[in-house]
Amino acid sequence: MKEHYILGIESSCDETSAAVLMNTTELSNVIATQTTIHQYFGGVVPELASRAHQQKIIPVVDDALKKAGIAKNDLSAISFTRGPGLAGALHVGVSFAKSMAYALNIPMMEVNHMQGHVLAHFIQQKNEFQPPPEFPFLCLTVSGGHTQIVLVEDFLKMTIIGETIDDAAGEAFDKSAKILGLPYPGGPLIDAYAAKGQPVFKFTHPQIAGYNYSFSGLKTQFLYFINEQVKKNENFVEENLNDICASIQKVIIDVLMAKLMKASADTGISQLAIAGGVSANSGLRNALLSLQSQNQAKVFIPPFKYCTDNAAMIAVAGYYKFLNHQFASLNVEPLARMPF
Ligand code: KG4
Ligand code: ZN
């Protein structure tokens, strides 16, 4: 097979990332996170994110090329996140990709960030082949901004069959963490505390039709529950943090899994994948693994480094577009809201 070197660029939120793939094999995947910049504000501040991307993009791309052991003239094409995401943050990556592709006179491919998350399952490691999912499969894509059940029929043929009508699963984690006074992003912290607790506090599931989700009611239910308990005992959160985290994590995962299982039963598709930042959650990973051990599904769980935002997933999605000659024009603009 001919060797193509694809540079991927991701700047949709608070990670500046550049990766080089040789076809689908990762040669480098450099990620500069901005967590410390935004933590003080309790969430991502768009203007600060754009500025940090501007500062980081050149060193990050340079580092990705060095780690891959190739020169920029070896690149076959450049793949970049066009959207969805923060407009200013996307602008940095899109403008950079356009200038670099123009200067090198190579094609470029625009990638939908959410499709990138799904296609992360096809990234290969050097010297270690991981069998990817076969088509068709269902992918539960859960991030800070999205919650989707995606029917994936081919690399470039996927349809959203269910999604959140309000908050995303990542937001449900982060907002619950905020209610508990934990710093942003709270998802990984809830995961860590939950591992030491038991889900003793019960919450009701939202009742939403079809494969859609809703998490905003759960957040309100959680807020009222905590306020009620704190009225009775002002140390309630400190004294029960592990159990509280285990309880909110359990209900979020149960809700996510119930719709995924319903979609699997209705479509007859038993290859199930997860993707996006929340797929790093150990409770969700274990819920999928237990399905597999009961022979209810064949599951695909990405390595941690491909769960949260990274450019390798943008490069692999771009690679399939490259093979299909689906190139972007130099007039391409970022799209904060991008159709799937
Ligand atoms: O995909 P991602 O890196 O960025 C977006 O595209 O949004 O997802 C970030 C989200 C955040 O809400 C973060 O709290 C959540 O993923 N997250 C987790 C875990 N790791 C990241 N949520 C629960 N458990 C985790 N271990
Ligand atoms: Zn993401």
Side-chain angles (χ1 to χ4, degrees):
M1 201 196 297
K2 194 167 178 326
E3 290 175 357
H4 300 290
Y5 293 93
I6 311 289
L7 171 69
I9 292 176
E10 156 63 32
S11 72
S12 65
C13 190
D14 59 346
E15 258 94 32
T16 317
S17 180
V20 177
L21 300 193
M22 189 193 70
N23 300 344
T24 58
T25 303
E26 183 201 302
L27 301 183
S28 66
N29 186 25
V30 178
I31 305 170
T33 52
Q34 305 176 2
T35 311
T36 49
I37 299 172
H38 304 289
Q39 213 152 40
Y40 174 79
F41 301 96
V44 177
V45 183
E47 182 53 35
L48 293 183
S50 315
R51 291 181 199 189
H53 283 305
Q54 256 178 338
Q55 286 172 350
K56 298 274 177 63
I57 189 100
I58 293 176
V60 163
V61 169
D62 196 44
D63 201 19
L65 289 169
K66 283 201 183 99
K67 289 201 167 105
I70 64 159
K72 55 184 184 302
N73 289 321
D74 297 326
L75 289 173
S76 317
I78 300 178
S79 174
F80 61 91
T81 304
R82 184 178 181 195
L86 302 170
L90 288 165
H91 252 294
V92 177
V94 173
S95 311
F96 186 90
K98 278 160 62 164
S99 327
M100 192 164 173
Y102 181 69
L104 294 172
N105 196 22
I106 53 176
M108 54 182 183
M109 294 79 67
E110 60 171 74
V111 168
N112 179 305
H113 179 86
M114 299 311 294
Q115 295 190 359
H117 274 302
V118 173
L119 294 173
H121 286 279
F122 295 91
I123 307 168
Q124 292 296 337
Q125 307 292 305
K126 262 189 195 167
N127 313 322
E128 187 193 318
F129 180 73
Q130 275 293 331
E134 286 165 20
F135 301 114
F137 66 95
L138 294 176
C139 187
L140 174 68
T141 314
V142 270
S143 73
H146 294 81
T147 301
Q148 303 169 335
I149 297 177
V150 183
L151 167 62
V152 191
E153 292 172 274
D154 206 342
F155 298 113
L156 302 174
K157 188 170 180 222
M158 40 183 116
T159 322
I160 298 170
I161 59 169
E163 63 190 323
T164 181
I165 57 166
D166 43 53
D167 288 357
E171 270 178 294
F173 273 104
D174 296 340
K175 288 179 177 174
S176 302
K178 205 167 183 174
I179 292 169
L180 297 173
L182 300 174
Y184 175 86
L189 290 172
I190 293 203
D191 193 358
Y193 289 118
K196 296 180 275 181
Q198 291 299 323
V200 291
F201 306 111
K202 306 293 173 207
F203 301 96
T204 49
H205 281 210
Q207 299 300 320
I208 305 293
Y211 310 130
N212 284 344
Y213 291 105
S214 165
F215 286 104
S216 75
L218 188 60
K219 172 191 63 194
T220 313
Q221 205 188 132
F222 186 65
L223 176 67
Y224 286 174
F225 168 75
I226 296 294
N227 286 347
E228 278 298 303
Q229 299 301 318
V230 169
K231 261 190 228 157
K232 291 186 238 162
N233 167 12
E234 61 178 349
N235 298 323
F236 176 76
V237 171
E238 295 79 63
E239 287 170 11
N240 297 281
L241 188 59
N242 297 340
D243 289 347
I244 299 171
C245 289
S247 306
I248 190 70
Q249 174 165 302
K250 181 174 186 325
V251 66
I252 295 172
I253 290 164
D254 286 352
V255 169
L256 288 172
M257 290 302 294
K259 292 294 173 90
L260 182 64
M261 293 309 292
K262 178 174 163 54
S264 170
D266 292 353
T267 58
I269 297 173
S270 59
Q271 285 200 98
L272 306 179
I274 50 173
V278 180
S279 62
N281 183 271
S282 47
L284 181 60
R285 296 167 89 92
N286 288 337
L288 254 94
L289 288 173
S290 78
L291 281 183
Q292 180 150 286
S293 60
Q294 294 158 26
N295 290 327
Q296 288 191 50
K298 186 162 186 213
V299 305
F300 297 86
I301 300 175
F304 282 111
K305 62 176 179 172
Y306 300 141
C307 290
T308 44
D309 290 349
N310 68 89
M313 69 185 199
I314 303 305
V316 81
Y319 170 71
Y320 293 113
K321 288 197 160 181
F322 177 84
L323 293 183
N324 249 6
H325 296 270
Q326 288 184 27
F327 300 129
S329 88
L330 274 176
N331 299 330
V332 67
E333 295 280 351
L335 289 176
R337 289 169 174 272
M338 185 170 176
F340 198 69

